[in-house]
Amino acid sequence: MESPIVILEKLLPIEDIITHIQDETEGVLIRTVKSFMTKIPSVVTGADIVQWLMKNLFIDDPAEAIHIGSLIAAQGYFFPISDHVLSLKDDGTFYRFQAPYFWPSNCWEPENTDY
């Protein structure tokens, strides 16, 4: 079993994970999708996020990847575009990444006028 110090050295900050997941070459495919009569820009599916987390964080269990993704969503780093529940689903639900300006690490107080 590895010591806690070795394990802590391997942990990535959430911002690093989000930066890597949005990478143009190694990240998930961010695309514009067509809806009935409109286009929805800059979205990714929950299934794509779960697959990326499993592959890049070396997670074997999809339920664990969903849990980690839900924790990241609960912190405000990405959000579903058609639902108000900040959790990750392993399906075709569309998600959008939050702009870095609004990341919790920037320690700002949210206001309705900022959205």
Side-chain angles (χ1 to χ4, degrees), residues 44-104:
V44 63
T45 65
D48 289 342
I49 294 173
V50 169
Q51 290 300 315
W52 189 92
L53 289 171
M54 290 179 67
K55 177 184 172 195
N56 292 281
L57 299 183
F58 306 104
I59 299 171
D60 296 326
D61 185 12
E64 185 178 349
I66 292 168
H67 178 70
I68 290 172
S70 293
L71 292 173
I72 294 171
Q75 293 297 313
Y77 292 96
F78 61 84
F79 55 93
I81 63 166
S82 62
D83 195 1
H84 296 291
V85 179
L86 294 176
S87 64
L88 179 64
K89 298 177 186 172
D90 189 10
D91 60 11
T93 303
F94 293 123
Y95 294 85
R96 187 170 289 137
F97 291 102
Q98 185 64 272
Y101 175 80
F102 295 107
W103 286 358

